[in-house]
């Protein structure tokens, strides 16, 4: 039969051999996954998973492949190692709108890229782009922005990938929702930084308007760009960014006024009184605004912001951040120890020092066993 097996090479048009027999594709891929045992994914398993992912998306049945890809990745001994199969799982989760299985892997920071497969940079870009989309769908804006920034920082020879183009579109809108100032990314790939002014001008314009907190102009720009935003599936994000700007404008009044009539606030924001009251109520309930509304007098009273650090959630968040910092420190210390005890490195340094006795000190000294070893030129 023309089934998937260890010797079966993928080739264009092979999907037609299966027709609508989804069960056969799932069963044969699962058989390969269950037969796999080892620290690294073999190439035939990777090819089979790629094929299954594309096939299921074409058949509008992406949710059926999530458990199989999850099973394959769960057999890896090193969860922090990124493989091309990771992007398949995130893609299936997004296509099926079933996001929770992806979080198990996305919440684990990538420490390295698999060295046991010749992975195209496309899969790296897809993983971070799709991951950013997952967190954006969950309204975890800071994490979404972080993954999109990584996607934009991946070097891609001398050209800008189409994935990075759409990643910057999402990045622009998510950065508004994060309250991030509009700025040029500090760690973008060279190809990306060169094409920003030309390919993404509409989105850079939105960033500039958002910085001014001009909700009317932002709304007018969105209205003009509606077909453009719909084409890129970004209209929903743009509308959320507009709501964020309007909310920020309401919060500004707390810094200036002790009290303000709802009619006056409505006039400033150019919104109906009922909508202003509803927005104020939502902000108060969420804890982003400290105020009280007197309906009888039609007045909102702004009170002094309460101390957010008295809340248990803030303490938990602080503890979580400290744990991440301590874990990063331990990993850095372990890497330092391994590097300083590496016999090949020590031999190379000794050879370099012997050949460069008379040369002056370099700009970077690295301590090894209490002695200063100059390795700048070696690392370069």
């Amino acid at each position: 039969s023309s089934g998937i097996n260890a010797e079966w090479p993928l080739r264009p048009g092979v999907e037609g051999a299966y027709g609508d027999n989804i069960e056969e594709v799932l069963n044969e891929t699962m058989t390969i996954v269950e037969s796999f045992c080892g620290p690294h994914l073999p190439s035939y398993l990777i090819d089979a998973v790629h094929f299954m992912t594309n096939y299921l998306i074409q058949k509008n049945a992406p949710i059926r492949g999530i458990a199989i890809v999850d099973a394959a990745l769960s057999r890896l001994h090193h969860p922090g190692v990124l493989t091309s199969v990771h992007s398949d799982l995130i893609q299936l989760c997004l296509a099926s709108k079933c996001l929770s299985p992806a979080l198990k892997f996305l919440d684990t920071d990538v420490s390295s890229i698999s060295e046991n497969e010749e992975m195209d940079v496309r899969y790296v870009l897809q993983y971070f782009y799709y991951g950013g989309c997952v967190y954006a769908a969950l309204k975890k804006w800071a994490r979404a922005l972080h993954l999109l920034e990584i996607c934009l920082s991946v070097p891609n020879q001398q050209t800008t990938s189409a994935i990075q183009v759409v990643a910057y579109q999402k990045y622009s809108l998510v950065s508004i929702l994060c309250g991030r100032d509009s700025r040029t990314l500090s760690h973008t790939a060279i190809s990306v930084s060169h094409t920003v002014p030309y390919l993404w001008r509409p989105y850079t314009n939105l960033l500039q308007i958002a910085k001014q907190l001009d909700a009317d102009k932002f709304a007018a720009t969105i209205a003009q760009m509606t077909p453009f935003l719909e084409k890129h599936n970004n209209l929903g994000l743009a509308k959320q960014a507009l709501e964020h700007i309007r909310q920020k404008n309401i919060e500004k009044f707390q810094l200036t006024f002790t009290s303000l009539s709802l009619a006056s606030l409505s006039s400033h924001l150019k919104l109906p009184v009922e909508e202003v009251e509803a927005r104020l109520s939502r902000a108060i309930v969420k804890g982003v605004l400290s105020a009280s509304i007197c309906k009888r007098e039609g007045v909102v009273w702004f009170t002094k912001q309460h101390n957010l650090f008295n809340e248990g959630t803030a303490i938990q968040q602080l503890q979580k951040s400290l744990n991440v910092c301590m874990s990063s420190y331990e990993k850095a210390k372990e890497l330092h120890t391994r590097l300083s005890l590496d016999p090949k490195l020590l031999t190379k340094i000794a050879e370099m020092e012997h050949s460069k006795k008379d040369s002056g000190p370099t700009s970077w000294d690295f301590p090894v066993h209490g002695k200063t070893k100059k390795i700048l030129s070696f690392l370069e």
Side-chain angles (χ1 to χ4, degrees):
S1 65
S2 58
I4 303 175
N5 54 63
E7 305 299 327
W8 174 69
L10 289 174
R11 56 188 180 278
V14 76
E15 294 90 339
Y18 288 91
D20 294 325
N21 195 348
I22 296 177
E23 293 297 335
E24 185 179 356
V25 174
L26 295 173
N27 291 337
E28 293 185 7
T29 308
M30 193 62 198
T31 299
I32 292 177
V33 171
E34 290 176 344
S35 66
F36 155 67
C37 181
H40 308 293
L41 297 178
S43 60
Y44 65 84
L45 187 151
I46 293 171
D47 289 342
V49 171
H50 289 339
F51 169 78
M52 182 196 70
T53 299
N54 294 330
Y55 178 83
L56 291 177
I57 289 176
Q58 288 177 10
K59 299 299 179 182
N60 295 318
I63 196 170
R64 303 193 62 183
I66 292 176
I68 296 176
V69 184
D70 181 274
L73 292 175
S74 298
R75 291 170 179 259
L76 289 174
H77 295 180
H78 307 288
V81 177
L82 179 64
T83 71
S84 61
V85 173
H86 282 81
S87 68
D88 289 324
L89 176 66
I90 314 303
Q91 187 178 6
L92 289 171
C93 290
L94 274 175
S96 62
K97 298 182 181 179
C98 177
L99 306 179
S100 56
L103 297 178
K104 178 172 65 174
F105 300 97
L106 289 172
D107 288 343
T108 301
D109 288 330
V110 174
S111 58
S112 62
I113 295 176
S114 175
E115 298 179 355
N116 294 86
E117 62 170 304
E118 295 182 5
M119 185 161 55
D120 192 295
V121 69
R122 170 170 58 99
Y123 294 110
V124 179
L125 295 173
Q126 283 179 346
Y127 174 80
F128 290 110
Y129 170 66
Y130 291 147
C133 291
V134 167
Y135 284 116
L138 296 172
K139 300 186 188 300
K140 295 184 177 182
W141 307 121
R143 184 65 176 171
L145 193 71
H146 174 64
L147 294 188
L148 292 171
E149 284 182 334
I150 295 177
C151 180
L152 293 171
S153 68
V154 174
N156 189 29
Q157 298 179 354
Q158 298 301 317
T159 60
T160 302
S161 168
I163 300 171
Q164 290 175 312
V165 172
V166 295
Y168 185 83
Q169 295 167 358
K170 291 280 191 299
Y171 166 83
S172 301
L173 297 171
V174 171
S175 65
I176 296 172
L177 290 160
C178 278
R180 179 74 62 88
D181 289 337
S182 58
R183 60 179 176 84
T184 302
L185 289 166
S186 56
H187 299 292
T188 51
I190 295 176
S191 58
V192 172
S193 59
H194 286 172
T195 55
V196 165
Y198 307 102
L199 293 179
W200 304 317
R201 191 178 301 278
Y203 289 92
T204 54
N205 289 342
L206 285 177
L207 280 170
Q208 292 298 326
I209 298 170
K211 184 177 181 181
Q212 301 164 10
L213 294 179
D214 191 336
D216 292 334
K217 189 175 181 181
F218 196 88
T221 305
I222 287 178
Q224 293 174 355
M225 293 175 58
T226 295
F228 183 75
L229 292 168
E230 286 180 336
K231 180 182 177 181
H232 298 154
N233 295 320
N234 287 330
L235 184 58
L237 272 179
K239 289 181 177 179
Q240 290 183 76
L242 174 60
E243 292 301 306
H244 176 80
I245 293 170
R246 284 175 172 163
Q247 190 62 46
K248 284 296 179 183
N249 283 329
I250 292 176
E251 293 172 20
K252 280 199 308 182
F253 290 102
Q254 184 179 18
L255 303 175
T256 309
F257 300 96
T258 303
S259 65
L260 196 64
S261 70
L262 292 175
S264 178
L265 194 56
S266 172
S267 176
H268 279 293
L269 298 174
K270 298 179 182 179
L271 293 171
V273 174
E274 295 78 10
E275 186 173 346
V276 169
E277 185 179 343
R279 289 176 181 274
L280 285 169
S281 299
R282 287 196 297 268
I284 292 170
V285 170
K286 290 180 180 178
V288 298
L289 190 66
S290 184
S292 59
I293 302 172
C294 180
K295 281 193 161 187
R296 186 182 63 183
E297 298 178 3
V299 175
V300 56
W301 295 86
F302 297 107
T303 57
K304 189 175 181 180
Q305 281 276 24
H306 58 282
N307 187 359
L308 296 177
F309 289 99
N310 289 334
E311 299 180 359
T313 53
I315 296 174
Q316 292 175 3
Q317 185 63 35
L318 181 61
Q319 184 63 49
K320 184 178 178 181
S321 299
L322 286 172
N323 290 339
V324 171
C325 292
M326 292 169 65
S327 175
S328 299
Y329 171 74
E330 291 298 328
K331 288 180 180 178
K333 189 166 69 171
E334 180 185 355
L335 179 62
H336 178 279
T337 302
R338 287 169 54 192
L339 185 62
S340 63
L341 296 176
D342 188 280
K344 293 182 180 179
L345 179 62
L346 295 178
T347 301
K348 185 68 176 178
I349 293 172
E351 292 174 353
M352 291 174 61
E353 284 197 337
H354 185 268
S355 62
K356 297 182 180 180
K357 285 185 195 177
D358 302 327
S359 63
T362 59
S363 58
W364 181 15
D365 291 344
F366 184 79
V368 179
H369 300 305
K371 299 180 182 180
T372 300
K373 303 295 183 181
K374 294 173 270 301
I375 64 169
L376 178 62
S377 58
F378 171 68
L379 291 176
E380 294 177 345

